[in-house]
Amino acid sequence: MWLKPEEVLLKNALKLWVQERSNQYFVLQRRRGYGEEGGGGLAGLLVGTLDAVLDSTSKVAPFRILHQTPDSQVYWSIACGSSREEITEHWDWLEQNVMKTLSVFDSNEDITSFVQGKIRGLIAEEGKGSFVKEEDPEKFREGLMKFERCFGLPEQEKLVTYYSCSYWKGRVPCQGWLYLSTNFLSFYSFLLGAEVKLIISWDEISKLEKTSNVILTENIHVCSRGEDHYFSMFLHISETFLLMEQLANYAVRRLFDKETFENDLVLHDPLQITKRGLESHAHSEQFSAFFRLPKEETLKEVHECFLWVPFSHYSTHGKMCISENYICFASQDGSLCSVIIPLREVTGVDKADPANRGVSISTKGKTAFRFTEVRDFEQLVGKLRMKCNAASSPQHIVNTEVALGSASESPKDFDVGPSKMGQKDNSKTVSTEALMTVYHPQDAENLDSKMLKEKMKEQSWNILFVERGHGVSMFRTKKTRDLVVRGIPEALRGELWLLFSGAVNDMASNPGYYTELVEKSLGTCTLATDEIERDLRRSLPEHPAFQSDTGISALRRVLTAYAYRNPQIGYCQAMNILTSVLLLYAKEEEAFWLLVAVCERMLPDYFNRRIIGALVDQAVFEELIRVHLPQLTDHMTDMTFFSSVSLSWFLTLFISVLPIESAVNVVDCFFYDGIKAILQLGLAVLEYNMEKLLTCKDDAEAVTVLNRFFDSVTNKDSPLPPAVQQGSNLSYTKSDHPKVDITDLIRESNERYGDIRYEDVQSLRCRNRLYVIQALEATTKQNVLRVVSQDVKFSPSDLEELYELFKREHFLSCYWNVNSPVLQHHDASLPYLDQYRIDCQQFRVLCHLLSPWSHCANRDSLALWTFRLMDESSDGLINFKQFACILDIMYNRSFTDKLKLLFKLHIPPAFTEVESLSPSKGGDLSKEELIHFSQLSVSSIEDTLESDSLKSSPEKGKGKVDIQAYLKQWQDELLKKEENIKDLPRMNQYIRRLILPEQSEWPGIQPQQGWREVASSRLVALEQLPDCQILPSGAYRSWPILWGGLM
């Protein structure tokens, strides 16, 4: 264990200890007499006797590690151990994580100070870990108080956890504490009078990765706003990095990617985020994605155990994972053996072989699964029985084994789910057969060589079903993958797609859902339905099924129903191609659930408005190219070529680039292995064309090479008629490229790149998601600045700084407020200018910070009126262009423009009566008051005129300025829409009459006086003019104070 550093004098200690290892900075010693034959002589016996007579609290550990500095007799004890293995583990950690770092210090004092700080941090780290297990909040409370004291963040900012580590400032590490909260990554260090404080918001991080270099074996690299930060010497670096990755992605999804985040109820409230909650959520996501379960499933328990594999006659070691509705098992090698058991299929749970702690689970398919060496197996049996009783309630009873029967059975036996009422009302609208069975029925009597091969494939699968089970609960092994790589038979394709994708579980849990959805969506007219209608005839137009109304109508119903189900996605152009292929091999309802599985689970965020998921996977693809095909990377000057050429590969699963008879084999592998299959195939395609790509001089030539290759891909075993096969219709004279069989290409991709693990792909996705979203944000920023710069006179650097301030203020309202109107209105699909907007309270903060009029006594009122003037849509929000244009008037425009602005601020719709509810605050308004006044409805000018005319005296002297006439004339022009708020041609006349009326109206002012002197003199008496009563009382109070800014 690590010890609090204490000084040791070796002169008195050498008689009791024996040195076993040493280096320039550390010494490992063993207690004399311990582990020696004969007790180590007389000295060993004396030391052993001394240790033996001491009580347990005074006994000395037999091993210890000391820290030393060259030319010093003073050593520091930093670790001890009761066994050689324990102390060796500490010694190895010091050599790997600390030794190389110490060489950068110039003095022995700095080295000793650093080592002591590091050891104290490790001790605190271990203490924190123990308190978490014991749920003792005292230690965490101390860390929270220090976090609040050091960084001064709002009290709503929730600290998730903290770690001891070193932050590299230049080439010198600073030992301190890393604090991870919901919105910020913070670091604090105070050593030898030097304070280091760092705060980085998660939404500014563009790169987060674990790296290593010459000095450090492992460190965490954080890139924010182009600056690199390195943190090292963590006690548990993998745990720390995983949590940082989760918090960064959580913040990015909440602030930038509202479309996908709104459905995530677990992490919806930032004030409820905890370390345990994040870890649990991450495990549940990994669990549901690996086993293709509904996203709502939450991982409840994990048990290490053995599963008896009857067809191989051995038990495989792995983990049993239990959620609300499923029992799943995966061996240590995920591809070796896995099983999914829905609780709705379970008929019994019993104890089996108590000596081996066995659990037996029986299913409706007459299959029994036997798990052994299960810890607490008796309690587990009780829990599973309770779950099964709940799952066997009427609403859960759906026999999915019938749904996954042979495809040769009658369609009436193949129907699953729809209620009787739904079948009666929609028998003419919802198709109950796959289009392939209608347009290409198999002739059992006339079998050619291809059909014979197809029957052999079917027989291989039937043998597999007999050995390993048939349906959801079948054993999935390496042999299953081998058969998928060879290509699924046409007759079984729809059934197995439904099984491997997990769509069968969705369909079983929602009987009648699709039928009801079709009823509701038919006849709806939206932007999505308009786009669907335009693309219906473009979906596999060469296939007979989509040259008739049967296929087109089925495609329309599926796409329209999904757009109705998920309006956030609605419809994306690639969805029509994918759905067309699904309808060829699956019934209409099955095709719908397959589309749900693809869009919402297997390809997350692919089909939203910004196709973020596809961009992320393209970035993953580029990274894999760098690792596996470095020659190609060195040749290509711009890696974006791979992104542009491969986008259709990912969006359509190669359907848009391969002949249909070959593309379906790719879809087979995708439903079994997920995105991993697409990445592997993409690498294989590039490697196959490596030599030709290396000779290409530009991107266009490279695209031509790839297109010719895809045209040459065939499926020699496809039983489809020649009229349907796209590859058979190509003219062979167009290309001299040798034919490539799709089965061979897929097999080669598995052999060469099969070592790419699912966990690696997920890690790459998390890392590149930050980069992709930050790149999209940079594009948004560039477009906004380009548009706004045409209307303002700020320099590009000033405008960019204003944008950063505006965006930061936008996010500040989102950090701690789940119901923030800014966050609720944020939509990445909106035009660039409207993606980020601020409310009145945020505008007041920025106005006080930036406005030249911020020293006004009534500055809150002025900020309120300015906001109301800009808020033309009356939704309580303004965008950056409106904000920048107002500041541009205040700083860069002419005196006349500033006067125009002031005039508009003192009449409706901008002006409203403002009076603070708290007289002690003077002109300052609370946040609630500000929001209230900003949302008040605008009174009409006629109401204002009528109200003021009742207050004004009819005997108000002769020769008064007729301001009413000017305002009435202006109102008429506004009603005719002949003028807008930016162009008021008669405003100058009004201002001139207001500021410079006849000399007789202003006693004491001489005609020869200068314009500025006249104006400044008259403003003093401005409120005394009877004619000014036409404007609301108090409207001019801020003018004299603001005059300095106007001049």
Side-chain angles (χ1 to χ4, degrees), residues 307-310 341 347-348 350 359-371 475:
L307 172 63
W308 173 251
V309 184
I341 310 173
T347 57
D350 302 293
V359 178
S360 177
I361 300 176
S362 305
T363 63
K364 295 177 182 178
K366 297 182 179 180
T367 303
F369 299 91
R370 191 174 69 187
F371 300 90
F475 283 87

mmCIF file with all atom_site columns, all heavy atoms in Angstrom, residues 307-310 341 347-348 350 359-371 475:
data_model
loop_
_atom_site.group_PDB
_atom_site.id
_atom_site.type_symbol
_atom_site.label_atom_id
_atom_site.label_alt_id
_atom_site.label_comp_id
_atom_site.label_asym_id
_atom_site.label_entity_id
_atom_site.label_seq_id
_atom_site.pdbx_PDB_ins_code
_atom_site.Cartn_x
_atom_site.Cartn_y
_atom_site.Cartn_z
_atom_site.occupancy
_atom_site.B_iso_or_equiv
_atom_site.pdbx_formal_charge
_atom_site.auth_seq_id
_atom_site.auth_comp_id
_atom_site.auth_asym_id
_atom_site.auth_atom_id
_atom_site.pdbx_PDB_model_num
ATOM 1   N N   . LEU A 1 307 ? -21.782 -22.113 -19.873 1.00 0.00 ? 307 LEU A N   1
ATOM 2   C CA  . LEU A 1 307 ? -22.980 -22.554 -20.591 1.00 0.00 ? 307 LEU A CA  1
ATOM 3   C C   . LEU A 1 307 ? -22.664 -23.875 -21.294 1.00 0.00 ? 307 LEU A C   1
ATOM 4   O O   . LEU A 1 307 ? -21.683 -23.978 -22.045 1.00 0.00 ? 307 LEU A O   1
ATOM 5   C CB  . LEU A 1 307 ? -23.416 -21.503 -21.616 1.00 0.00 ? 307 LEU A CB  1
ATOM 6   C CG  . LEU A 1 307 ? -24.550 -21.919 -22.568 1.00 0.00 ? 307 LEU A CG  1
ATOM 7   C CD1 . LEU A 1 307 ? -25.840 -22.185 -21.792 1.00 0.00 ? 307 LEU A CD1 1
ATOM 8   C CD2 . LEU A 1 307 ? -24.778 -20.849 -23.637 1.00 0.00 ? 307 LEU A CD2 1
ATOM 9   N N   . TRP A 1 308 ? -23.516 -24.869 -21.042 1.00 0.00 ? 308 TRP A N   1
ATOM 10  C CA  . TRP A 1 308 ? -23.333 -26.163 -21.697 1.00 0.00 ? 308 TRP A CA  1
ATOM 11  C C   . TRP A 1 308 ? -23.777 -26.059 -23.155 1.00 0.00 ? 308 TRP A C   1
ATOM 12  O O   . TRP A 1 308 ? -24.883 -25.627 -23.468 1.00 0.00 ? 308 TRP A O   1
ATOM 13  C CB  . TRP A 1 308 ? -24.152 -27.232 -20.981 1.00 0.00 ? 308 TRP A CB  1
ATOM 14  C CG  . TRP A 1 308 ? -24.150 -28.563 -21.679 1.00 0.00 ? 308 TRP A CG  1
ATOM 15  C CD1 . TRP A 1 308 ? -25.181 -29.150 -22.333 1.00 0.00 ? 308 TRP A CD1 1
ATOM 16  C CD2 . TRP A 1 308 ? -23.042 -29.459 -21.783 1.00 0.00 ? 308 TRP A CD2 1
ATOM 17  N NE1 . TRP A 1 308 ? -24.809 -30.357 -22.840 1.00 0.00 ? 308 TRP A NE1 1
ATOM 18  C CE2 . TRP A 1 308 ? -23.484 -30.575 -22.526 1.00 0.00 ? 308 TRP A CE2 1
ATOM 19  C CE3 . TRP A 1 308 ? -21.722 -29.422 -21.322 1.00 0.00 ? 308 TRP A CE3 1
ATOM 20  C CZ2 . TRP A 1 308 ? -22.656 -31.646 -22.818 1.00 0.00 ? 308 TRP A CZ2 1
ATOM 21  C CZ3 . TRP A 1 308 ? -20.894 -30.494 -21.616 1.00 0.00 ? 308 TRP A CZ3 1
ATOM 22  C CH2 . TRP A 1 308 ? -21.347 -31.594 -22.358 1.00 0.00 ? 308 TRP A CH2 1
ATOM 23  N N   . VAL A 1 309 ? -22.852 -26.425 -24.076 1.00 0.00 ? 309 VAL A N   1
ATOM 24  C CA  . VAL A 1 309 ? -23.126 -26.394 -25.514 1.00 0.00 ? 309 VAL A CA  1
ATOM 25  C C   . VAL A 1 309 ? -23.357 -27.835 -25.951 1.00 0.00 ? 309 VAL A C   1
ATOM 26  O O   . VAL A 1 309 ? -22.389 -28.609 -26.137 1.00 0.00 ? 309 VAL A O   1
ATOM 27  C CB  . VAL A 1 309 ? -21.945 -25.773 -26.289 1.00 0.00 ? 309 VAL A CB  1
ATOM 28  C CG1 . VAL A 1 309 ? -22.295 -25.661 -27.762 1.00 0.00 ? 309 VAL A CG1 1
ATOM 29  C CG2 . VAL A 1 309 ? -21.588 -24.409 -25.709 1.00 0.00 ? 309 VAL A CG2 1
ATOM 30  N N   . PRO A 1 310 ? -24.605 -28.253 -26.129 1.00 0.00 ? 310 PRO A N   1
ATOM 31  C CA  . PRO A 1 310 ? -24.899 -29.682 -26.337 1.00 0.00 ? 310 PRO A CA  1
ATOM 32  C C   . PRO A 1 310 ? -24.319 -30.248 -27.630 1.00 0.00 ? 310 PRO A C   1
ATOM 33  O O   . PRO A 1 310 ? -23.862 -31.391 -27.649 1.00 0.00 ? 310 PRO A O   1
ATOM 34  C CB  . PRO A 1 310 ? -26.429 -29.727 -26.332 1.00 0.00 ? 310 PRO A CB  1
ATOM 35  C CG  . PRO A 1 310 ? -26.867 -28.347 -26.659 1.00 0.00 ? 310 PRO A CG  1
ATOM 36  C CD  . PRO A 1 310 ? -25.832 -27.436 -26.094 1.00 0.00 ? 310 PRO A CD  1
ATOM 37  N N   . ILE A 1 341 ? -32.204 -15.153 -24.923 1.00 0.00 ? 341 ILE A N   1
ATOM 38  C CA  . ILE A 1 341 ? -33.415 -15.849 -24.463 1.00 0.00 ? 341 ILE A CA  1
ATOM 39  C C   . ILE A 1 341 ? -34.428 -14.805 -24.011 1.00 0.00 ? 341 ILE A C   1
ATOM 40  O O   . ILE A 1 341 ? -34.294 -14.231 -22.922 1.00 0.00 ? 341 ILE A O   1
ATOM 41  C CB  . ILE A 1 341 ? -33.105 -16.808 -23.303 1.00 0.00 ? 341 ILE A CB  1
ATOM 42  C CG1 . ILE A 1 341 ? -31.908 -17.713 -23.645 1.00 0.00 ? 341 ILE A CG1 1
ATOM 43  C CG2 . ILE A 1 341 ? -34.323 -17.636 -22.947 1.00 0.00 ? 341 ILE A CG2 1
ATOM 44  C CD1 . ILE A 1 341 ? -31.438 -18.558 -22.483 1.00 0.00 ? 341 ILE A CD1 1
ATOM 45  N N   . THR A 1 347 ? -40.332 -21.057 -20.333 1.00 0.00 ? 347 THR A N   1
ATOM 46  C CA  . THR A 1 347 ? -41.433 -21.825 -19.724 1.00 0.00 ? 347 THR A CA  1
ATOM 47  C C   . THR A 1 347 ? -41.086 -22.312 -18.320 1.00 0.00 ? 347 THR A C   1
ATOM 48  O O   . THR A 1 347 ? -41.991 -22.670 -17.552 1.00 0.00 ? 347 THR A O   1
ATOM 49  C CB  . THR A 1 347 ? -41.776 -23.046 -20.597 1.00 0.00 ? 347 THR A CB  1
ATOM 50  O OG1 . THR A 1 347 ? -40.597 -23.863 -20.763 1.00 0.00 ? 347 THR A OG1 1
ATOM 51  C CG2 . THR A 1 347 ? -42.281 -22.599 -21.959 1.00 0.00 ? 347 THR A CG2 1
ATOM 52  N N   . GLY A 1 348 ? -39.801 -22.322 -17.966 1.00 0.00 ? 348 GLY A N   1
ATOM 53  C CA  . GLY A 1 348 ? -39.439 -22.777 -16.625 1.00 0.00 ? 348 GLY A CA  1
ATOM 54  C C   . GLY A 1 348 ? -38.004 -22.441 -16.278 1.00 0.00 ? 348 GLY A C   1
ATOM 55  O O   . GLY A 1 348 ? -37.127 -22.419 -17.146 1.00 0.00 ? 348 GLY A O   1
ATOM 56  N N   . ASP A 1 350 ? -35.231 -23.623 -13.259 1.00 0.00 ? 350 ASP A N   1
ATOM 57  C CA  . ASP A 1 350 ? -35.050 -24.595 -12.182 1.00 0.00 ? 350 ASP A CA  1
ATOM 58  C C   . ASP A 1 350 ? -33.579 -24.664 -11.774 1.00 0.00 ? 350 ASP A C   1
ATOM 59  O O   . ASP A 1 350 ? -32.679 -24.286 -12.540 1.00 0.00 ? 350 ASP A O   1
ATOM 60  C CB  . ASP A 1 350 ? -35.504 -25.994 -12.635 1.00 0.00 ? 350 ASP A CB  1
ATOM 61  C CG  . ASP A 1 350 ? -36.951 -26.021 -13.075 1.00 0.00 ? 350 ASP A CG  1
ATOM 62  O OD1 . ASP A 1 350 ? -37.827 -25.819 -12.205 1.00 0.00 ? 350 ASP A OD1 1
ATOM 63  O OD2 . ASP A 1 350 ? -37.197 -26.206 -14.279 1.00 0.00 ? 350 ASP A OD2 1
ATOM 64  N N   . VAL A 1 359 ? -28.128 -23.652 -13.119 1.00 0.00 ? 359 VAL A N   1
ATOM 65  C CA  . VAL A 1 359 ? -29.444 -23.063 -13.393 1.00 0.00 ? 359 VAL A CA  1
ATOM 66  C C   . VAL A 1 359 ? -29.891 -23.574 -14.756 1.00 0.00 ? 359 VAL A C   1
ATOM 67  O O   . VAL A 1 359 ? -29.158 -23.453 -15.754 1.00 0.00 ? 359 VAL A O   1
ATOM 68  C CB  . VAL A 1 359 ? -29.395 -21.525 -13.394 1.00 0.00 ? 359 VAL A CB  1
ATOM 69  C CG1 . VAL A 1 359 ? -30.772 -20.956 -13.744 1.00 0.00 ? 359 VAL A CG1 1
ATOM 70  C CG2 . VAL A 1 359 ? -28.924 -20.997 -12.056 1.00 0.00 ? 359 VAL A CG2 1
ATOM 71  N N   . SER A 1 360 ? -31.092 -24.124 -14.833 1.00 0.00 ? 360 SER A N   1
ATOM 72  C CA  . SER A 1 360 ? -31.636 -24.639 -16.087 1.00 0.00 ? 360 SER A CA  1
ATOM 73  C C   . SER A 1 360 ? -32.821 -23.776 -16.522 1.00 0.00 ? 360 SER A C   1
ATOM 74  O O   . SER A 1 360 ? -33.725 -23.506 -15.718 1.00 0.00 ? 360 SER A O   1
ATOM 75  C CB  . SER A 1 360 ? -32.079 -26.094 -15.923 1.00 0.00 ? 360 SER A CB  1
ATOM 76  O OG  . SER A 1 360 ? -32.669 -26.569 -17.108 1.00 0.00 ? 360 SER A OG  1
ATOM 77  N N   . ILE A 1 361 ? -32.809 -23.344 -17.782 1.00 0.00 ? 361 ILE A N   1
ATOM 78  C CA  . ILE A 1 361 ? -33.874 -22.482 -18.324 1.00 0.00 ? 361 ILE A CA  1
ATOM 79  C C   . ILE A 1 361 ? -34.484 -23.185 -19.522 1.00 0.00 ? 361 ILE A C   1
ATOM 80  O O   . ILE A 1 361 ? -33.782 -23.496 -20.502 1.00 0.00 ? 361 ILE A O   1
ATOM 81  C CB  . ILE A 1 361 ? -33.313 -21.108 -18.740 1.00 0.00 ? 361 ILE A CB  1
ATOM 82  C CG1 . ILE A 1 361 ? -32.696 -20.407 -17.528 1.00 0.00 ? 361 ILE A CG1 1
ATOM 83  C CG2 . ILE A 1 361 ? -34.405 -20.250 -19.365 1.00 0.00 ? 361 ILE A CG2 1
ATOM 84  C CD1 . ILE A 1 361 ? -32.030 -19.081 -17.853 1.00 0.00 ? 361 ILE A CD1 1
ATOM 85  N N   . SER A 1 362 ? -35.788 -23.453 -19.459 1.00 0.00 ? 362 SER A N   1
ATOM 86  C CA  . SER A 1 362 ? -36.508 -24.121 -20.547 1.00 0.00 ? 362 SER A CA  1
ATOM 87  C C   . SER A 1 362 ? -37.308 -23.100 -21.344 1.00 0.00 ? 362 SER A C   1
ATOM 88  O O   . SER A 1 362 ? -37.842 -22.138 -20.776 1.00 0.00 ? 362 SER A O   1
ATOM 89  C CB  . SER A 1 362 ? -37.447 -25.198 -19.987 1.00 0.00 ? 362 SER A CB  1
ATOM 90  O OG  . SER A 1 362 ? -36.733 -26.114 -19.183 1.00 0.00 ? 362 SER A OG  1
ATOM 91  N N   . THR A 1 363 ? -37.423 -23.333 -22.658 1.00 0.00 ? 363 THR A N   1
ATOM 92  C CA  . THR A 1 363 ? -38.129 -22.394 -23.539 1.00 0.00 ? 363 THR A CA  1
ATOM 93  C C   . THR A 1 363 ? -39.235 -23.110 -24.298 1.00 0.00 ? 363 THR A C   1
ATOM 94  O O   . THR A 1 363 ? -39.320 -24.354 -24.292 1.00 0.00 ? 363 THR A O   1
ATOM 95  C CB  . THR A 1 363 ? -37.155 -21.751 -24.550 1.00 0.00 ? 363 THR A CB  1
ATOM 96  O OG1 . THR A 1 363 ? -36.620 -22.776 -25.396 1.00 0.00 ? 363 THR A OG1 1
ATOM 97  C CG2 . THR A 1 363 ? -36.015 -21.051 -23.828 1.00 0.00 ? 363 THR A CG2 1
ATOM 98  N N   . LYS A 1 364 ? -40.062 -22.337 -24.982 1.00 0.00 ? 364 LYS A N   1
ATOM 99  C CA  . LYS A 1 364 ? -41.166 -22.894 -25.748 1.00 0.00 ? 364 LYS A CA  1
ATOM 100 C C   . LYS A 1 364 ? -40.681 -23.747 -26.912 1.00 0.00 ? 364 LYS A C   1
ATOM 101 O O   . LYS A 1 364 ? -41.398 -24.626 -27.391 1.00 0.00 ? 364 LYS A O   1
ATOM 102 C CB  . LYS A 1 364 ? -42.049 -21.761 -26.286 1.00 0.00 ? 364 LYS A CB  1
ATOM 103 C CG  . LYS A 1 364 ? -42.747 -20.966 -25.194 1.00 0.00 ? 364 LYS A CG  1
ATOM 104 C CD  . LYS A 1 364 ? -43.538 -19.820 -25.789 1.00 0.00 ? 364 LYS A CD  1
ATOM 105 C CE  . LYS A 1 364 ? -44.210 -18.993 -24.689 1.00 0.00 ? 364 LYS A CE  1
ATOM 106 N NZ  . LYS A 1 364 ? -44.943 -17.830 -25.255 1.00 0.00 ? 364 LYS A NZ  1
ATOM 107 N N   . GLY A 1 365 ? -39.489 -23.482 -27.378 1.00 0.00 ? 365 GLY A N   1
ATOM 108 C CA  . GLY A 1 365 ? -38.931 -24.272 -28.472 1.00 0.00 ? 365 GLY A CA  1
ATOM 109 C C   . GLY A 1 365 ? -38.393 -25.603 -28.017 1.00 0.00 ? 365 GLY A C   1
ATOM 110 O O   . GLY A 1 365 ? -37.648 -26.252 -28.763 1.00 0.00 ? 365 GLY A O   1
ATOM 111 N N   . LYS A 1 366 ? -38.723 -25.997 -26.794 1.00 0.00 ? 366 LYS A N   1
ATOM 112 C CA  . LYS A 1 366 ? -38.290 -27.272 -26.223 1.00 0.00 ? 366 LYS A CA  1
ATOM 113 C C   . LYS A 1 366 ? -36.769 -27.366 -26.131 1.00 0.00 ? 366 LYS A C   1
ATOM 114 O O   . LYS A 1 366 ? -36.184 -28.436 -26.310 1.00 0.00 ? 366 LYS A O   1
ATOM 115 C CB  . LYS A 1 366 ? -38.852 -28.443 -27.041 1.00 0.00 ? 366 LYS A CB  1
ATOM 116 C CG  . LYS A 1 366 ? -40.374 -28.506 -27.038 1.00 0.00 ? 366 LYS A CG  1
ATOM 117 C CD  . LYS A 1 366 ? -40.874 -29.698 -27.822 1.00 0.00 ? 366 LYS A CD  1
ATOM 118 C CE  . LYS A 1 366 ? -42.408 -29.743 -27.787 1.00 0.00 ? 366 LYS A CE  1
ATOM 119 N NZ  . LYS A 1 366 ? -42.953 -30.914 -28.547 1.00 0.00 ? 366 LYS A NZ  1
ATOM 120 N N   . THR A 1 367 ? -36.165 -26.224 -25.885 1.00 0.00 ? 367 THR A N   1
ATOM 121 C CA  . THR A 1 367 ? -34.722 -26.179 -25.693 1.00 0.00 ? 367 THR A CA  1
ATOM 122 C C   . THR A 1 367 ? -34.437 -25.819 -24.246 1.00 0.00 ? 367 THR A C   1
ATOM 123 O O   . THR A 1 367 ? -35.084 -24.928 -23.682 1.00 0.00 ? 367 THR A O   1
ATOM 124 C CB  . THR A 1 367 ? -34.075 -25.134 -26.621 1.00 0.00 ? 367 THR A CB  1
ATOM 125 O OG1 . THR A 1 367 ? -34.406 -25.443 -27.976 1.00 0.00 ? 367 THR A OG1 1
ATOM 126 C CG2 . THR A 1 367 ? -32.566 -25.138 -26.468 1.00 0.00 ? 367 THR A CG2 1
ATOM 127 N N   . ALA A 1 368 ? -33.490 -26.516 -23.652 1.00 0.00 ? 368 ALA A N   1
ATOM 128 C CA  . ALA A 1 368 ? -33.104 -26.231 -22.267 1.00 0.00 ? 368 ALA A CA  1
ATOM 129 C C   . ALA A 1 368 ? -31.664 -25.718 -22.255 1.00 0.00 ? 368 ALA A C   1
ATOM 130 O O   . ALA A 1 368 ? -30.771 -26.341 -22.842 1.00 0.00 ? 368 ALA A O   1
ATOM 131 C CB  . ALA A 1 368 ? -33.227 -27.478 -21.407 1.00 0.00 ? 368 ALA A CB  1
ATOM 132 N N   . PHE A 1 369 ? -31.468 -24.585 -21.602 1.00 0.00 ? 369 PHE A N   1
ATOM 133 C CA  . PHE A 1 369 ? -30.138 -23.987 -21.479 1.00 0.00 ? 369 PHE A CA  1
ATOM 134 C C   . PHE A 1 369 ? -29.661 -24.205 -20.047 1.00 0.00 ? 369 PHE A C   1
ATOM 135 O O   . PHE A 1 369 ? -30.357 -23.835 -19.095 1.00 0.00 ? 369 PHE A O   1
ATOM 136 C CB  . PHE A 1 369 ? -30.184 -22.494 -21.802 1.00 0.00 ? 369 PHE A CB  1
ATOM 137 C CG  . PHE A 1 369 ? -30.631 -22.196 -23.203 1.00 0.00 ? 369 PHE A CG  1
ATOM 138 C CD1 . PHE A 1 369 ? -31.976 -21.986 -23.494 1.00 0.00 ? 369 PHE A CD1 1
ATOM 139 C CD2 . PHE A 1 369 ? -29.715 -22.131 -24.234 1.00 0.00 ? 369 PHE A CD2 1
ATOM 140 C CE1 . PHE A 1 369 ? -32.400 -21.719 -24.779 1.00 0.00 ? 369 PHE A CE1 1
ATOM 141 C CE2 . PHE A 1 369 ? -30.124 -21.867 -25.531 1.00 0.00 ? 369 PHE A CE2 1
ATOM 142 C CZ  . PHE A 1 369 ? -31.471 -21.661 -25.809 1.00 0.00 ? 369 PHE A CZ  1
ATOM 143 N N   . ARG A 1 370 ? -28.472 -24.799 -19.900 1.00 0.00 ? 370 ARG A N   1
ATOM 144 C CA  . ARG A 1 370 ? -27.949 -25.125 -18.577 1.00 0.00 ? 370 ARG A CA  1
ATOM 145 C C   . ARG A 1 370 ? -26.705 -24.296 -18.287 1.00 0.00 ? 370 ARG A C   1
ATOM 146 O O   . ARG A 1 370 ? -25.698 -24.400 -18.996 1.00 0.00 ? 370 ARG A O   1
ATOM 147 C CB  . ARG A 1 370 ? -27.619 -26.612 -18.475 1.00 0.00 ? 370 ARG A CB  1
ATOM 148 C CG  . ARG A 1 370 ? -27.327 -27.051 -17.045 1.00 0.00 ? 370 ARG A CG  1
ATOM 149 C CD  . ARG A 1 370 ? -27.157 -28.538 -16.979 1.00 0.00 ? 370 ARG A CD  1
ATOM 150 N NE  . ARG A 1 370 ? -25.938 -28.974 -17.648 1.00 0.00 ? 370 ARG A NE  1
ATOM 151 C CZ  . ARG A 1 370 ? -25.613 -30.262 -17.845 1.00 0.00 ? 370 ARG A CZ  1
ATOM 152 N NH1 . ARG A 1 370 ? -26.455 -31.212 -17.442 1.00 0.00 ? 370 ARG A NH1 1
ATOM 153 N NH2 . ARG A 1 370 ? -24.496 -30.585 -18.450 1.00 0.00 ? 370 ARG A NH2 1
ATOM 154 N N   . PHE A 1 371 ? -26.811 -23.460 -17.275 1.00 0.00 ? 371 PHE A N   1
ATOM 155 C CA  . PHE A 1 371 ? -25.698 -22.620 -16.830 1.00 0.00 ? 371 PHE A CA  1
ATOM 156 C C   . PHE A 1 371 ? -25.155 -23.196 -15.522 1.00 0.00 ? 371 PHE A C   1
ATOM 157 O O   . PHE A 1 371 ? -25.929 -23.581 -14.632 1.00 0.00 ? 371 PHE A O   1
ATOM 158 C CB  . PHE A 1 371 ? -26.161 -21.180 -16.604 1.00 0.00 ? 371 PHE A CB  1
ATOM 159 C CG  . PHE A 1 371 ? -26.733 -20.523 -17.822 1.00 0.00 ? 371 PHE A CG  1
ATOM 160 C CD1 . PHE A 1 371 ? -28.094 -20.606 -18.097 1.00 0.00 ? 371 PHE A CD1 1
ATOM 161 C CD2 . PHE A 1 371 ? -25.914 -19.827 -18.703 1.00 0.00 ? 371 PHE A CD2 1
ATOM 162 C CE1 . PHE A 1 371 ? -28.628 -19.999 -19.219 1.00 0.00 ? 371 PHE A CE1 1
ATOM 163 C CE2 . PHE A 1 371 ? -26.443 -19.211 -19.829 1.00 0.00 ? 371 PHE A CE2 1
ATOM 164 C CZ  . PHE A 1 371 ? -27.797 -19.302 -20.094 1.00 0.00 ? 371 PHE A CZ  1
ATOM 165 N N   . PHE A 1 475 ? -28.453 -20.997 -30.767 1.00 0.00 ? 475 PHE A N   1
ATOM 166 C CA  . PHE A 1 475 ? -27.037 -20.776 -30.500 1.00 0.00 ? 475 PHE A CA  1
ATOM 167 C C   . PHE A 1 475 ? -26.412 -20.115 -31.725 1.00 0.00 ? 475 PHE A C   1
ATOM 168 O O   . PHE A 1 475 ? -26.561 -20.612 -32.848 1.00 0.00 ? 475 PHE A O   1
ATOM 169 C CB  . PHE A 1 475 ? -26.329 -22.103 -30.229 1.00 0.00 ? 475 PHE A CB  1
ATOM 170 C CG  . PHE A 1 475 ? -26.583 -22.664 -28.860 1.00 0.00 ? 475 PHE A CG  1
ATOM 171 C CD1 . PHE A 1 475 ? -27.677 -23.478 -28.616 1.00 0.00 ? 475 PHE A CD1 1
ATOM 172 C CD2 . PHE A 1 475 ? -25.717 -22.381 -27.807 1.00 0.00 ? 475 PHE A CD2 1
ATOM 173 C CE1 . PHE A 1 475 ? -27.909 -24.000 -27.363 1.00 0.00 ? 475 PHE A CE1 1
ATOM 174 C CE2 . PHE A 1 475 ? -25.941 -22.906 -26.547 1.00 0.00 ? 475 PHE A CE2 1
ATOM 175 C CZ  . PHE A 1 475 ? -27.038 -23.714 -26.313 1.00 0.00 ? 475 PHE A CZ  1
#
